[in-house]
């Protein structure tokens, strides 16, 4: 078995194959972060429910990425408690967190692929790190099907990241994040910089992977379409804390200026209309739906 | 059952052999059982997952492989296992995941060919770049008001003034080393007093300027390449062009002028510091008083030694600036190339400087300044 895990846990190795059964894989209490004089978070509380896609939104500089980095242990918070899979990340010695590290996957904004390795070798890195005893042929095979599972053509496995387009690089990053069959997936702006078709395809991939693999997804995004399409709940960061966590329709009823501007601004409305139209198009056999779609299409043409 | 992955081969009531997998089949414990099962050379008619307690995509994929090996079905899969098998079932290819490599023979000849072509393009690009610079100077001569004095002053500060401490210290130490080592050898002939000739002539003619050139290439040549290369990557250079600013006039010419002027001054300064270093060590070790050493320098070092150094300095400065700016302008693609081009700029500059120095040495000796 894994030498690292053995060294740390000795004989009291935790039952590693037990999936997390609790309600909240991620719990954050009273988190505080600051850079110099600038306060990023203060008294921030957040729970991520098991099996949901939680969208995290907020204006520029509200600390969305800092929150993610705090949870995954890349940033030591000034104060507060962070629990992942019921294990405290803030109190843990760096090595103890290892038992958690192989149960999550992280997709960084730029993909953060190792540029000197091919896509397949990138996917192999975490597998080799945690399970060095596995037969190399088996890790090759695992890496290959992870690449395919992330929606890349199989030929992409032996290409270098620099040979891929931005969208493919994101998918390759996702394949690496999924390498260890995690229960928890962190995505940092996965659709930023993708064209609308690519972004929509990535959303669908996230959704279907979540359903197939039973993932819990923590998703930072600016993309209103993503929020409407795939997020079960959305957490809004403002005033140094999470001001609301709810479904999009419920959030839109709230009377916070930023939330109103965000969801009910022109782009927010456009995303909403687009989603409503999509829903309607699924029921074109109903006369009322067909008539509405026709009328809306016509009004679009008139405006143009 | 317990916590380990297990398997049994069983014969069913209807006479079919079933490979029954039991326990958790996960990435974390696959290594225990993987080699055993892959070596398994039995015939079976189905793979039964009924007793599997936990499964992830790796386990599902593994079950698929077992089933595929004998072209049989996976049976009694839980709903979750079913979904996972569907998700991983699509991939059964054998594309290698490492980058394709040509056979050694082809790789060697390919890389040699590429090198030769690159060298050819390099020559063409260098000539093109020098042409651009010349045109830039010509344009500035016609429109002197376009010249950027501020950029020149800023570069003079960065290339010249800011490097005074490090070049001074380096030259001082080199003076000490030459005087001390030279004295040890010359003592064997009882000619310690010739240490003055040695230090004075070698620093003014050769080392002062040469070491300065190497230092400037490392400090400023690399900075030129990295700055301009980064500007190229962030499309700042393209932005300049669209506004009607010629990048050669705005970026390259101030750097070349600053480097040429400063190399002359820095080279002279370095020689003087070396002589002072030699004088200090002569005072301490050889009983030649400090001031006597400096007077002797005037007597034993011909003036043309100074000219030899000062004529070489601007040429070296030109080479350093040209190679830094040229490599910077050649950057395209990704940030990795900025690093490569910066390295190239420094190596190219130092190499060219040393080659030219050898030519200069022969030339000046032939014209009687030996």
């Amino acid at each position: 078995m894994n030498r690292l895990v053995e060294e740390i846990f000795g004989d009291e190795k935790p039952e590693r194959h037990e999936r997390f059964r609790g309600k909240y894989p991620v719990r954050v209490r009273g988190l505080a972060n600051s850079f110099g004089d600038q306060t990023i978070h203060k008294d921030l509380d957040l729970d991520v429910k098991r099996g949901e896609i939680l969208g995290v939104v907020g204006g520029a500089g509200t600390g969305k990425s800092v929150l993610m980095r705090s949870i995954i242990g890349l940033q030591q918070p000034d104060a507060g408690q962070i629990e992942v899979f019921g294990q405290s990340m803030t109190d843990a010695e760096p090595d103890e967190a290892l038992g958690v590290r192989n149960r999550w996957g992280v997709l960084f904004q730029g993909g953060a692929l190792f540029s000197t390795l091919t896509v397949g070798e990138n996917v192999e890195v975490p597998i080799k790190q945690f399970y060095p005893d596995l037969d190399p042929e088996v890790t090759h095979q695992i890496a290959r099907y992870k690449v395919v599972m992330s929606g890349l053509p199989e030929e992409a496995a032996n290409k270098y990241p620099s040979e891929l387009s931005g969208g493919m690089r994101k998918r390759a990053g996702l394949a690496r994040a999924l390498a260890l069959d995690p229960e928890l997936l962190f995505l940092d702006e996965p659709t930023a910089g993708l064209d609308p078709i690519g972004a929509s395809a990535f959303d669908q991939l996230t959704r279907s992977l979540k359903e197939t693999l039973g993932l819990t997804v923590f998703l930072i995004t600016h993309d209103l379409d993503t929020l409407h399409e795939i997020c079960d709940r959305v957490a809004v960061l403002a005033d140094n804390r999470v001001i609301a966590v709810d479904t999009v329709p419920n959030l839109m009823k709230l009377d916070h200026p930023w939330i109103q501007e965000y969801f009910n601004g022109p782009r927010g409305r456009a995303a909403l209309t687009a989603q409503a139209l999509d829903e309607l198009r699924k029921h074109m056999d109903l006369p009322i739906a067909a008539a509405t779609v026709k009328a809306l299409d016509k009004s679009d043409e008139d405006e143009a | 059952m317990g916590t380990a992955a297990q398997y049994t081969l069983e014969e069913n009531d209807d006479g079919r052999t079933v490979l029954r997998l039991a326990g958790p089949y996960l990435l974390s414990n696959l290594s225990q059982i993987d080699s055993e099962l892959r070596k398994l050379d039995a015939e079976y008619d189905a793979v039964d997952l009924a007793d599997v307690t936990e499964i992830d995509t790796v386990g599902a994929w593994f079950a698929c492989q077992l089933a595929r090996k004998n072209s049989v079905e996976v049976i009694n899969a839980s709903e979750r296992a079913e979904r996972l098998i569907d998700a991983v079932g699509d991939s059964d290819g054998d594309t290698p995941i490492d980058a394709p490599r040509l056979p050694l023979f082809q790789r060697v000849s390919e890389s040699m060919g590429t090198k030769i072509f690159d060298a050819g393009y390099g020559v063409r690009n260098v000539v093109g770049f020098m042409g651009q610079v010349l045109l830039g100077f010509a344009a500035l001569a016609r429109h002197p008001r376009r010249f950027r004095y501020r950029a020149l002053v800023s570069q003079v500060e960065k290339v010249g003034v800011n490097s005074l401490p490090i070049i001074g210290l380096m030259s001082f130490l080199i003076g000490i080393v030459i005087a001390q080592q030279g004295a040890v050898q010359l003592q064997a002939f009882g000619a310690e007093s010739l240490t003055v000739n040695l230090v004075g002539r070698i620093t003014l003619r050769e080392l002062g300027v040469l070491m300065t050139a190497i230092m400037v290439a490392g400090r400023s040549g690399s900075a030129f390449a990295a700055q301009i290369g980064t500007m190229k990557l962030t499309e700042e250079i393209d932005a300049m062009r669209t506004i009607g600013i010629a990048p050669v006039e705005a970026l390259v010419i101030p750097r070349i002028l600053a480097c040429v002027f400063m190399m002359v001054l820095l080279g002279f300064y370095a020689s003087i510091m070396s002589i002072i270093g030699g004088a200090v060590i002569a005072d301490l070790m050889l009983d030649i008083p400090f001031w006597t050493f400096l007077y002797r320098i005037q007597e034993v070092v011909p003036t043309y030694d100074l000219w030899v150094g000062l004529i070489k300095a601007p040429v070296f400065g030109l080479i350093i600036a040209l190679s830094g700016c040229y490599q910077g302008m050649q950057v395209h693609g990704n940030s990795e190339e900025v690093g490569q081009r910066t390295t190239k700029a420094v190596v190219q500059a130092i190499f060219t400087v040393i080659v030219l120095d050898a030519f200069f040495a022969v030339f000046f000796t032939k014209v009687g300044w030996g």
Side-chain angles (χ1 to χ4, degrees):
Chain A
M1 271 293 274
N2 184 351
R3 255 169 281 140
L4 262 180
V5 173
E6 212 146 80
E7 228 168 72
I8 295 155
F9 296 106
D11 292 334
E12 291 163 49
K13 219 169 349 180
E15 297 280 288
R16 269 294 305 112
H17 41 80
E18 282 292 321
R19 285 176 71 84
F20 180 71
R21 306 278 182 210
K23 193 161 181 214
Y24 300 109
V26 179
R27 302 194 75 138
V28 180
R29 286 286 170 274
L31 180 73
N33 268 310
S34 60
F35 293 118
D37 299 337
Q38 199 188 355
T39 307
I40 308 285
H41 299 138
K42 202 172 172 221
D43 275 338
L44 181 146
D45 296 348
L46 179 69
D47 289 330
V48 184
K49 279 189 201 159
R50 184 161 58 90
E52 75 170 347
I53 298 185
L54 178 78
V56 176
V57 299
T62 48
K64 302 181 292 290
S65 293
V66 178
L67 173 60
M68 183 180 107
R69 292 171 63 88
S70 304
I71 297 175
I72 58 184
L74 292 177
Q75 162 112 22
Q76 188 64 37
D78 296 346
Q81 280 293 321
I82 296 171
E83 274 183 19
V84 180
F85 300 122
Q87 190 179 337
S88 170
M89 298 296 293
T90 33
D91 300 339
E93 294 293 308
D95 282 351
E96 283 171 28
L98 266 177
V100 173
R101 264 174 223 282
N102 55 358
R103 297 171 70 185
W104 71 38
V106 184
L107 170 62
F108 289 95
Q109 215 176 77
L113 293 162
F114 304 122
S115 55
T116 52
L117 304 178
T118 62
V119 171
E121 286 165 343
N122 262 287
V123 179
E124 271 190 337
V125 171
I127 305 178
K128 282 186 179 159
Q129 169 68 25
F130 280 97
Y131 307 109
D133 299 342
L134 222 51
D135 190 87
E137 184 51 34
V138 176
T139 51
H140 286 343
Q141 299 263 12
I142 293 175
R144 202 173 301 132
Y145 87 73
K146 299 276 176 183
V147 168
V148 175
M149 219 165 73
S150 307
L152 287 171
E154 205 175 296
E155 300 83 67
N158 64 1
K159 290 209 171 105
Y160 285 100
S162 54
E163 298 171 76
L164 302 181
S165 69
M168 290 172 89
R169 230 173 288 168
K170 290 257 165 87
R171 283 168 187 270
L174 183 66
R176 192 180 66 188
L178 291 174
L180 296 171
D181 265 88
E183 295 160 56
L184 183 58
L185 188 62
F186 292 91
L187 306 176
D188 190 358
E189 304 215 18
T191 54
L194 298 188
D195 66 278
I197 300 171
S200 167
F202 200 96
D203 284 348
Q204 294 316 318
L205 178 69
T206 312
R207 170 114 240 168
S208 77
L209 283 173
K210 174 226 150 189
E211 271 154 21
T212 320
L213 309 179
L215 295 170
T216 307
V217 183
F218 179 99
L219 174 101
I220 296 175
T221 190
H222 273 305
D223 192 330
L224 285 151
D225 292 314
T226 308
L227 293 176
H228 284 293
E229 286 280 328
I230 66 167
C231 289
D232 298 307
R233 293 194 307 159
V234 174
V236 182
L237 254 73
D239 315 328
N240 302 335
R241 58 199 179 85
V242 175
I243 53 168
V245 190
D246 216 327
T247 59
V248 176
N250 287 346
L251 281 178
M252 288 171 72
K253 291 179 205 147
L254 292 180
D255 192 27
H256 187 279
W258 192 84
I259 296 180
Q260 280 304 319
E261 177 133 19
Y262 191 78
F263 288 106
N264 285 336
R267 280 162 172 266
R269 304 203 74 85
L272 191 63
T273 322
Q275 203 214 359
L277 265 172
D278 283 349
E279 280 300 313
L280 280 175
R281 286 212 172 88
K282 285 181 199 156
H283 306 285
M284 283 299 263
D285 46 331
L286 299 174
I288 173 82
T292 319
V293 171
K294 219 171 175 184
L296 278 169
D297 281 350
K298 190 161 184 304
S299 77
D300 275 356
E301 274 166 32
D302 289 348
E303 270 176 40
Chain B
M1 286 223 291
T3 58
Q6 296 158 352
Y7 70 93
T8 44
L9 270 172
E10 280 176 16
E11 198 145 324
N12 268 9
D13 307 339
D14 53 2
R16 282 155 43 103
T17 319
V18 173
L19 179 66
R20 195 180 287 276
L21 305 184
Y25 271 75
L26 301 171
L27 175 59
S28 48
N29 60 9
L30 188 68
S31 58
Q32 303 165 341
I33 197 148
D34 153 60
S35 50
E36 246 181 278
L37 262 174
R38 273 147 50 94
K39 266 184 262 152
L40 186 70
D41 199 18
E43 291 286 320
Y44 44 88
D45 303 309
V47 178
D48 189 344
L49 301 186
D51 294 335
V52 170
T53 50
E54 285 265 356
I55 193 161
D56 63 3
T57 61
V58 177
W61 165 80
F62 193 63
C64 272
Q65 294 287 310
L66 287 173
R68 199 172 283 143
K69 200 166 72 177
N70 278 12
S71 326
V72 298
E73 295 275 293
V74 175
I75 56 167
N76 292 336
S78 66
E79 190 210 345
R80 179 176 157 77
E82 202 75 72
R83 265 187 289 136
L84 292 176
I85 288 169
D86 282 346
V88 302
D90 303 340
S91 108
D92 57 342
D94 49 0
T95 325
I97 69 160
D98 41 353
R101 275 164 76 103
L102 292 168
L104 183 69
F105 168 70
Q106 277 183 43
R107 247 186 302 148
V108 170
S109 46
E110 185 190 291
S111 81
M112 275 171 62
T114 319
K115 283 249 153 60
I116 290 169
F117 271 98
D118 281 353
Y121 292 131
V123 169
R124 193 192 64 186
N125 289 344
V126 168
V127 172
F129 180 73
M130 299 223 267
Q132 276 186 349
V133 172
L134 278 182
L135 285 179
F137 272 111
L140 282 181
R142 267 180 285 125
H143 311 280
R145 296 186 54 180
R146 290 216 308 245
F147 184 68
R148 289 160 190 276
Y149 295 97
R150 282 170 168 279
L152 176 64
V153 171
S154 145
Q155 289 301 329
V156 162
E157 186 191 348
K158 285 180 193 152
V159 175
V161 180
N162 291 349
S163 64
L164 283 178
I166 184 67
I167 288 183
L169 179 64
M170 175 191 73
S171 306
F172 185 80
L173 293 176
I174 285 178
I176 287 180
V177 171
I178 294 172
Q180 196 265 337
Q181 291 293 310
V184 171
Q185 298 302 319
L186 290 169
Q187 259 167 354
F189 307 99
E192 301 101 292
S193 60
L194 283 180
T195 310
V196 183
N197 305 38
L198 179 70
V199 172
R201 297 204 67 179
I202 203 167
T203 53
L204 280 169
R205 281 181 77 95
E206 290 293 335
L207 282 185
V209 174
L210 191 63
M211 295 309 288
T212 309
I214 290 172
M215 190 53 103
V216 170
R219 264 189 100 253
S220 306
S222 60
F224 294 170
Q227 277 170 353
I228 295 180
T230 314
M231 290 176 81
K232 195 100 195 285
L233 276 190
T234 52
E235 297 183 317
E236 279 174 68
I237 305 238
D238 294 337
M240 277 185 175
R241 285 209 178 94
T242 58
I243 304 170
I245 304 171
V248 170
E249 282 177 30
L251 297 173
V252 177
I253 287 180
R255 284 177 168 76
I256 289 180
L257 288 180
C259 219
V260 168
F261 289 141
M262 284 301 105
M263 264 304 296
V264 179
L265 299 184
L266 286 173
F268 181 70
Y269 163 73
S271 307
I272 299 304
M273 289 305 283
S274 295
I275 289 173
I276 292 176
V280 167
I281 203 73
D283 194 348
L284 294 177
M285 278 184 53
L286 304 176
D287 298 329
I288 306 176
F290 185 80
W291 293 109
T292 314
F293 190 98
L294 295 190
Y295 280 126
R296 286 286 298 157
I297 290 276
Q298 284 183 330
E299 289 161 20
V300 300
V301 178
T303 323
Y304 58 70
D305 274 4
L306 176 67
W307 292 121
V308 167
L310 291 188
I311 289 171
K312 288 196 289 193
V315 180
F316 291 173
L318 179 70
I319 286 167
I320 293 165
L322 274 179
S323 103
C325 296
Y326 166 73
Q327 294 294 354
M329 293 296 254
Q330 294 299 309
V331 168
H332 54 85
N334 51 25
S335 52
E336 202 179 330
E337 197 165 345
V338 176
Q340 282 171 7
R341 290 284 177 184
T342 307
T343 311
K344 249 189 197 171
V346 176
V347 172
Q348 202 177 55
I350 293 179
F351 178 75
T352 317
V353 160
I354 290 176
V355 168
L356 266 188
D357 193 49
F359 279 107
F360 272 125
V362 177
F363 172 78
F364 284 126
T365 315
K366 286 279 178 201
V367 297
W369 279 3

